[in-house]
Amino acid sequence: MRFTSIAAAALAVVPSALAANFAVNVGQGNTFAFSPTSITGAVAGDTITFTFMSRNHSATTTTFTTPCPPPDGGVAGGFDTGFHSATGTDQPQAVVTLTSADTHWVACRQAAGGHCRMGMTFAVNPTASQTYAQFLANARAS
Ligand SMILES: *[C@@H]1O[C@H](CO)[C@@H](O)[C@H](O)[C@H]1NC(C)=O
């Protein structure tokens, strides 16, 4: 009986899974790119920290088939960091908290979709049937 209560107490202090943070650089090295270009395994409660490293960009959810331009405010169930301008050594950050493990297609909405069409795109949990590579191709063509 004593052993059982110790085991129960030990179980009680086992921490539940902690939320993960994914660090994503935006415009690193003055490129029109997100780095990394996709993340996988993201679940509800996880965060994405976007660090804006050059120019003036956004991280905005859009659609797989018609990525560019991403709509102002993003798509339903998605997010939009708004515009963040990196000047000199100031590299602003925006943190997005995911509310599900859903797939999100993301692009910069600067220049009426111009950055998006240059391939400035990012994916959260792309799938086997909807890949990041196809999303990028859709962006360049849209
Ligand atoms: C960033 O871009 C947006 C949209 O083009 C513009 O409204 C805003 O003034 C820009 N910010 C800076 C600091 O240039």
Side-chain angles (χ1 to χ4, degrees):
M1 191 48 132
R2 173 171 293 187
F3 179 81
T4 300
S5 7
I6 291 168
L11 279 177
V13 297
V14 172
S16 56
L18 297 173
N21 177 67
F22 296 86
V24 177
N25 293 334
V26 186
Q28 186 172 13
N30 221 22
T31 57
F32 293 91
F34 291 82
S35 179
T37 53
S38 66
I39 60 173
T40 57
V43 298
D46 287 354
T47 51
I48 304 172
T49 300
F50 293 99
T51 301
F52 295 85
M53 305 185 80
S54 68
R55 303 177 195 262
N56 181 357
H57 297 299
S58 79
T60 307
T61 53
T62 186
T63 63
F64 179 78
T65 49
T66 311
C68 310
D72 189 350
V75 296
F79 56 84
D80 183 7
T81 63
F83 288 105
H84 293 276
S85 184
T87 54
T89 55
D90 181 29
Q91 297 187 327
Q93 293 186 317
V95 179
V96 168
T97 302
L98 298 174
T99 57
S100 73
D102 290 352
T103 298
H104 291 291
W105 307 105
V106 180
C108 176
R109 63 177 168 88
Q110 185 60 280
H115 291 194
C116 178
R117 283 186 290 273
M118 290 171 68
M120 191 162 188
T121 52
F122 169 72
V124 179
N125 296 340
T127 66
S129 60
Q130 294 195 323
T131 63
Y132 171 76
Q134 186 59 55
F135 173 58
L136 174 61
N138 293 350
R140 292 190 188 282
S142 68

